[in-house]
Amino acid sequence: MSYSEDRSEWYEGQGHWQHVPAEQWQSWIWQLKNRITTREQLEQFMTLTPDEKAGVAFAGQKLSLAITPYFFNLIDRDDPNCPIRLQMIPREGETKVSAGEMLDSLGEDEHSPVPGIVHRYPDRVLFLVTDRCAAYCRYCTRSRLVSNAQDYNFHPEYEQGLRYIESHPEVRDVLLSGGDPLLLSDRKLEHLLARLREIPHVEFIRIGSRIPVFLPQRITPELCDIFKRYGPIWMSVHLNHPREATAELKAAFERLSFAGVPLGNQSVLLAGVNDDPDVMKALVHRLLRMRVRPYYLYQMDLITGGSHFKVDVRKGLDIIRALRGHTTGYAIPQYVVDAPGGGGKVPLNPDYVESINDEEVVFRNFEGKQFRYPLVGATGAPLSNSPEALVE
Ligand SMILES: *Cc1c(COP(=O)(O)O)cnc(C)c1O
């Protein structure tokens, strides 16, 4: 498979919703109210495959179906393998449980001292502030609680969460996530950010959000003013495929960026969506052009009903190898696997070192050429260009 751009450079427009006045289309509330959430609504626009029909019928028990009109326009109705379609329309694979799959594959519930807080790493916490998103990714790592299709009944306790952070001086980094924190009203979000900023030991605040991608209309000047007021607020966004990079999204990232929000991207490696070096290269290049630094590329978590998305780790390593040296270093995300059961993120890196001993390290470069680098220590003699040698 090789990726070629089959749309205009930065796709834009109202697509199926030409009849809607532009000012409604631009309203994030209108976009949320008019989401596609049922099989009947889907079938007004497209013909579902039998695979999708089985998935849609099961969604109510697993993870709700919801797609904003803006994002739905990016689906190619004539292509059952469209990378946007694969991420958004449920498939039969969701009804199956494969070996090793778990509801809470990262053991988050065990690391939760109070509802909504996950404290796995010594110096930082994940603060889940809602179980709702603008649209639902079929491979969601928090399917167990997000959208409440499984009756998890998640109730974030903001006060308890804030008090936990206040009383733990080792927490210098707070990551707001969910669900999607940008679904909260400006008032609620401002309250949370203001309270976090008052805590002297909290140095770093970031928000994990796919709202810019699903609902760029939410990135209003008022929201950007809040980020300016309580900044620096960092943001981890989530694009998986270059087709998600629209003119509207580019403008939303500009608004965030000009409000002083540094942007990083987290992708999930997904079968048929982005498990291809050409697709990944097109994505990371688009990200840089939109002021977004690729941050992580995730190996899929072992969530129940996710096996149809799984990619062989060797393929992931090949993708990183196809990027390193072949394109801008800033464009290359760190490939990671979140250890099943709750061990945290572990980097997965292609191996360039062929051998290493007291005398030298032998490695290959991005072109496969072999090089040797002599090490100090075999004889104890410093290298001739070391500071000590220069002083003598
Ligand atoms: C991913 C994650 C973080 C943040 O990790 P970084 O490597 O700092 O981005 C924090 N807490 C939990 C529980 C996480 O899963």
Side-chain angles (χ1 to χ4, degrees), residues 325 351-357 359-375:
D351 201 359
Y352 294 93
V353 174
E354 294 216 316
S355 69
I356 184 162
N357 58 34
E359 268 134 53
E360 63 171 8
V361 52
V362 181
F363 50 80
R364 289 191 186 271
N365 77 346
F366 71 106
E367 297 163 310
K369 289 187 191 145
Q370 200 187 60
F371 294 85
R372 293 166 186 277
Y373 182 95
L375 299 177

mmCIF file of all heavy atoms in Angstrom, residues 325 351-357 359-375:
data_model
loop_
_atom_site.group_PDB
_atom_site.id
_atom_site.type_symbol
_atom_site.label_atom_id
_atom_site.label_comp_id
_atom_site.label_asym_id
_atom_site.label_seq_id
_atom_site.Cartn_x
_atom_site.Cartn_y
_atom_site.Cartn_z
ATOM 1 N N GLY A 325 16.448 9.606 10.214
ATOM 2 C CA GLY A 325 17.478 9.859 9.210
ATOM 3 C C GLY A 325 16.889 10.211 7.854
ATOM 4 O O GLY A 325 17.510 10.895 7.067
ATOM 5 N N ASP A 351 16.994 -1.160 16.737
ATOM 6 C CA ASP A 351 18.341 -1.319 17.270
ATOM 7 C C ASP A 351 19.371 -0.983 16.193
ATOM 8 O O ASP A 351 19.426 -1.642 15.162
ATOM 9 C CB ASP A 351 18.513 -2.773 17.747
ATOM 10 C CG ASP A 351 19.645 -2.886 18.739
ATOM 11 O OD1 ASP A 351 20.280 -1.845 19.019
ATOM 12 O OD2 ASP A 351 19.893 -4.006 19.220
ATOM 13 N N TYR A 352 20.165 0.044 16.453
ATOM 14 C CA TYR A 352 21.201 0.419 15.498
ATOM 15 C C TYR A 352 22.574 -0.107 15.913
ATOM 16 O O TYR A 352 23.511 -0.104 15.134
ATOM 17 C CB TYR A 352 21.257 1.948 15.353
ATOM 18 C CG TYR A 352 19.996 2.524 14.716
ATOM 19 C CD1 TYR A 352 18.940 2.973 15.497
ATOM 20 C CD2 TYR A 352 19.873 2.580 13.334
ATOM 21 C CE1 TYR A 352 17.790 3.481 14.917
ATOM 22 C CE2 TYR A 352 18.722 3.084 12.739
ATOM 23 C CZ TYR A 352 17.680 3.536 13.539
ATOM 24 O OH TYR A 352 16.546 4.022 12.950
ATOM 25 N N VAL A 353 22.673 -0.517 17.196
ATOM 26 C CA VAL A 353 23.960 -0.989 17.714
ATOM 27 C C VAL A 353 24.130 -2.458 17.354
ATOM 28 O O VAL A 353 23.255 -3.273 17.638
ATOM 29 C CB VAL A 353 24.026 -0.799 19.246
ATOM 30 C CG1 VAL A 353 25.294 -1.417 19.817
ATOM 31 C CG2 VAL A 353 23.940 0.682 19.583
ATOM 32 N N GLU A 354 25.260 -2.790 16.729
ATOM 33 C CA GLU A 354 25.511 -4.198 16.363
ATOM 34 C C GLU A 354 26.320 -4.902 17.416
ATOM 35 O O GLU A 354 26.099 -6.062 17.710
ATOM 36 C CB GLU A 354 26.254 -4.263 15.029
ATOM 37 C CG GLU A 354 25.399 -3.749 13.911
ATOM 38 C CD GLU A 354 25.618 -4.499 12.627
ATOM 39 O OE1 GLU A 354 26.779 -4.758 12.270
ATOM 40 O OE2 GLU A 354 24.605 -4.831 11.979
ATOM 41 N N SER A 355 27.314 -4.195 17.984
ATOM 42 C CA SER A 355 28.078 -4.789 19.065
ATOM 43 C C SER A 355 28.687 -3.664 19.877
ATOM 44 O O SER A 355 28.875 -2.548 19.377
ATOM 45 C CB SER A 355 29.166 -5.713 18.518
ATOM 46 O OG SER A 355 30.155 -4.935 17.868
ATOM 47 N N ILE A 356 28.965 -3.964 21.130
ATOM 48 C CA ILE A 356 29.592 -2.958 21.992
ATOM 49 C C ILE A 356 30.489 -3.704 22.976
ATOM 50 O O ILE A 356 30.088 -4.723 23.528
ATOM 51 C CB ILE A 356 28.522 -2.090 22.688
ATOM 52 C CG1 ILE A 356 29.145 -0.962 23.521
ATOM 53 C CG2 ILE A 356 27.570 -2.906 23.539
ATOM 54 C CD1 ILE A 356 28.179 0.155 23.862
ATOM 55 N N ASN A 357 31.748 -3.249 23.110
ATOM 56 C CA ASN A 357 32.650 -3.830 24.109
ATOM 57 C C ASN A 357 33.502 -2.701 24.669
ATOM 58 O O ASN A 357 33.226 -1.522 24.417
ATOM 59 C CB ASN A 357 33.493 -4.964 23.495
ATOM 60 C CG ASN A 357 34.312 -4.466 22.313
ATOM 61 O OD1 ASN A 357 34.772 -3.322 22.289
ATOM 62 N ND2 ASN A 357 34.503 -5.326 21.312
ATOM 63 N N GLU A 359 36.286 -1.591 23.888
ATOM 64 C CA GLU A 359 37.070 -0.838 22.905
ATOM 65 C C GLU A 359 36.239 0.001 21.939
ATOM 66 O O GLU A 359 36.636 1.097 21.579
ATOM 67 C CB GLU A 359 37.932 -1.796 22.075
ATOM 68 C CG GLU A 359 39.307 -1.988 22.670
ATOM 69 C CD GLU A 359 39.695 -3.447 22.712
ATOM 70 O OE1 GLU A 359 39.615 -4.098 21.650
ATOM 71 O OE2 GLU A 359 40.047 -3.931 23.813
ATOM 72 N N GLU A 360 35.124 -0.566 21.514
ATOM 73 C CA GLU A 360 34.375 0.169 20.488
ATOM 74 C C GLU A 360 32.912 -0.236 20.461
ATOM 75 O O GLU A 360 32.524 -1.281 20.977
ATOM 76 C CB GLU A 360 35.000 -0.082 19.107
ATOM 77 C CG GLU A 360 34.940 -1.539 18.686
ATOM 78 C CD GLU A 360 35.360 -1.768 17.238
ATOM 79 O OE1 GLU A 360 35.835 -0.830 16.592
ATOM 80 O OE2 GLU A 360 35.176 -2.906 16.762
ATOM 81 N N VAL A 361 32.146 0.661 19.847
ATOM 82 C CA VAL A 361 30.756 0.325 19.556
ATOM 83 C C VAL A 361 30.635 0.296 18.031
ATOM 84 O O VAL A 361 31.192 1.138 17.325
ATOM 85 C CB VAL A 361 29.780 1.325 20.223
ATOM 86 C CG1 VAL A 361 30.117 2.765 19.904
ATOM 87 C CG2 VAL A 361 28.332 1.058 19.814
ATOM 88 N N VAL A 362 29.960 -0.734 17.536
ATOM 89 C CA VAL A 362 29.757 -0.880 16.098
ATOM 90 C C VAL A 362 28.270 -0.698 15.828
ATOM 91 O O VAL A 362 27.432 -1.322 16.492
ATOM 92 C CB VAL A 362 30.209 -2.278 15.612
ATOM 93 C CG1 VAL A 362 30.019 -2.412 14.097
ATOM 94 C CG2 VAL A 362 31.653 -2.546 16.015
ATOM 95 N N PHE A 363 27.954 0.196 14.914
ATOM 96 C CA PHE A 363 26.534 0.448 14.633
ATOM 97 C C PHE A 363 26.311 0.697 13.151
ATOM 98 O O PHE A 363 27.255 0.887 12.389
ATOM 99 C CB PHE A 363 26.028 1.648 15.456
ATOM 100 C CG PHE A 363 26.889 2.873 15.374
ATOM 101 C CD1 PHE A 363 26.809 3.724 14.280
ATOM 102 C CD2 PHE A 363 27.789 3.191 16.399
ATOM 103 C CE1 PHE A 363 27.604 4.854 14.200
ATOM 104 C CE2 PHE A 363 28.588 4.318 16.322
ATOM 105 C CZ PHE A 363 28.505 5.153 15.226
ATOM 106 N N ARG A 364 25.041 0.682 12.785
ATOM 107 C CA ARG A 364 24.661 0.988 11.398
ATOM 108 C C ARG A 364 23.895 2.303 11.378
ATOM 109 O O ARG A 364 23.190 2.628 12.325
ATOM 110 C CB ARG A 364 23.802 -0.134 10.812
ATOM 111 C CG ARG A 364 24.611 -1.387 10.544
ATOM 112 C CD ARG A 364 23.844 -2.418 9.725
ATOM 113 N NE ARG A 364 24.643 -3.639 9.639
ATOM 114 C CZ ARG A 364 25.542 -3.867 8.676
ATOM 115 N NH1 ARG A 364 25.755 -2.974 7.710
ATOM 116 N NH2 ARG A 364 26.235 -4.984 8.679
ATOM 117 N N ASN A 365 24.039 3.040 10.292
ATOM 118 C CA ASN A 365 23.301 4.306 10.168
ATOM 119 C C ASN A 365 21.972 4.072 9.443
ATOM 120 O O ASN A 365 21.605 2.929 9.151
ATOM 121 C CB ASN A 365 24.167 5.379 9.479
ATOM 122 C CG ASN A 365 24.248 5.183 7.968
ATOM 123 O OD1 ASN A 365 23.886 4.124 7.449
ATOM 124 N ND2 ASN A 365 24.713 6.194 7.259
ATOM 125 N N PHE A 366 21.266 5.158 9.143
ATOM 126 C CA PHE A 366 19.926 5.029 8.533
ATOM 127 C C PHE A 366 19.965 4.388 7.160
ATOM 128 O O PHE A 366 18.960 3.874 6.678
ATOM 129 C CB PHE A 366 19.233 6.400 8.479
ATOM 130 C CG PHE A 366 19.812 7.370 7.482
ATOM 131 C CD1 PHE A 366 19.137 7.654 6.304
ATOM 132 C CD2 PHE A 366 21.016 8.004 7.732
ATOM 133 C CE1 PHE A 366 19.649 8.555 5.382
ATOM 134 C CE2 PHE A 366 21.547 8.902 6.814
ATOM 135 C CZ PHE A 366 20.870 9.173 5.640
ATOM 136 N N GLU A 367 21.154 4.408 6.508
ATOM 137 C CA GLU A 367 21.271 3.783 5.182
ATOM 138 C C GLU A 367 21.757 2.338 5.260
ATOM 139 O O GLU A 367 21.971 1.707 4.237
ATOM 140 C CB GLU A 367 22.270 4.569 4.329
ATOM 141 C CG GLU A 367 21.837 5.997 4.062
ATOM 142 C CD GLU A 367 22.991 6.879 3.587
ATOM 143 O OE1 GLU A 367 24.056 6.866 4.241
ATOM 144 O OE2 GLU A 367 22.811 7.566 2.577
ATOM 145 N N GLY A 368 21.977 1.868 6.478
ATOM 146 C CA GLY A 368 22.452 0.499 6.646
ATOM 147 C C GLY A 368 23.964 0.358 6.568
ATOM 148 O O GLY A 368 24.491 -0.751 6.605
ATOM 149 N N LYS A 369 24.679 1.508 6.472
ATOM 150 C CA LYS A 369 26.142 1.445 6.424
ATOM 151 C C LYS A 369 26.699 1.257 7.834
ATOM 152 O O LYS A 369 26.207 1.856 8.780
ATOM 153 C CB LYS A 369 26.711 2.741 5.843
ATOM 154 C CG LYS A 369 26.458 2.909 4.369
ATOM 155 C CD LYS A 369 27.211 4.135 3.855
ATOM 156 C CE LYS A 369 26.763 4.489 2.450
ATOM 157 N NZ LYS A 369 26.761 5.932 2.217
ATOM 158 N N GLN A 370 27.788 0.470 7.913
ATOM 159 C CA GLN A 370 28.358 0.174 9.225
ATOM 160 C C GLN A 370 29.423 1.199 9.627
ATOM 161 O O GLN A 370 30.226 1.627 8.790
ATOM 162 C CB GLN A 370 28.976 -1.218 9.193
ATOM 163 C CG GLN A 370 29.161 -1.804 10.577
ATOM 164 C CD GLN A 370 29.922 -3.109 10.526
ATOM 165 O OE1 GLN A 370 31.062 -3.151 10.061
ATOM 166 N NE2 GLN A 370 29.287 -4.166 10.993
ATOM 167 N N PHE A 371 29.416 1.586 10.895
ATOM 168 C CA PHE A 371 30.413 2.529 11.426
ATOM 169 C C PHE A 371 30.928 2.007 12.762
ATOM 170 O O PHE A 371 30.260 1.234 13.440
ATOM 171 C CB PHE A 371 29.785 3.917 11.630
ATOM 172 C CG PHE A 371 29.383 4.575 10.346
ATOM 173 C CD1 PHE A 371 28.140 4.300 9.767
ATOM 174 C CD2 PHE A 371 30.237 5.443 9.683
ATOM 175 C CE1 PHE A 371 27.770 4.881 8.562
ATOM 176 C CE2 PHE A 371 29.876 6.044 8.480
ATOM 177 C CZ PHE A 371 28.643 5.763 7.924
ATOM 178 N N ARG A 372 32.159 2.464 13.116
ATOM 179 C CA ARG A 372 32.757 2.098 14.405
ATOM 180 C C ARG A 372 33.085 3.366 15.159
ATOM 181 O O ARG A 372 33.557 4.340 14.572
ATOM 182 C CB ARG A 372 34.077 1.343 14.177
ATOM 183 C CG ARG A 372 33.853 0.011 13.551
ATOM 184 C CD ARG A 372 35.144 -0.616 13.012
ATOM 185 N NE ARG A 372 34.748 -1.822 12.310
ATOM 186 C CZ ARG A 372 34.530 -2.993 12.921
ATOM 187 N NH1 ARG A 372 34.757 -3.123 14.214
ATOM 188 N NH2 ARG A 372 34.113 -4.030 12.238
ATOM 189 N N TYR A 373 32.843 3.334 16.458
ATOM 190 C CA TYR A 373 33.164 4.486 17.302
ATOM 191 C C TYR A 373 34.005 3.979 18.465
ATOM 192 O O TYR A 373 33.527 3.167 19.272
ATOM 193 C CB TYR A 373 31.865 5.124 17.803
ATOM 194 C CG TYR A 373 32.065 6.351 18.658
ATOM 195 C CD1 TYR A 373 32.016 7.629 18.102
ATOM 196 C CD2 TYR A 373 32.311 6.235 20.021
ATOM 197 C CE1 TYR A 373 32.204 8.750 18.878
ATOM 198 C CE2 TYR A 373 32.501 7.355 20.807
ATOM 199 C CZ TYR A 373 32.445 8.616 20.235
ATOM 200 O OH TYR A 373 32.626 9.723 21.005
ATOM 201 N N PRO A 374 35.290 4.422 18.554
ATOM 202 C CA PRO A 374 36.161 3.897 19.607
ATOM 203 C C PRO A 374 35.760 4.438 20.974
ATOM 204 O O PRO A 374 35.353 5.597 21.093
ATOM 205 C CB PRO A 374 37.542 4.417 19.200
ATOM 206 C CG PRO A 374 37.286 5.587 18.312
ATOM 207 C CD PRO A 374 35.958 5.398 17.681
ATOM 208 N N LEU A 375 35.859 3.610 22.017
ATOM 209 C CA LEU A 375 35.478 4.024 23.365
ATOM 210 C C LEU A 375 36.723 4.227 24.214
ATOM 211 O O LEU A 375 37.725 3.540 24.034
ATOM 212 C CB LEU A 375 34.609 2.946 24.021
ATOM 213 C CG LEU A 375 33.295 2.646 23.304
ATOM 214 C CD1 LEU A 375 32.574 1.517 24.019
ATOM 215 C CD2 LEU A 375 32.416 3.881 23.251
#
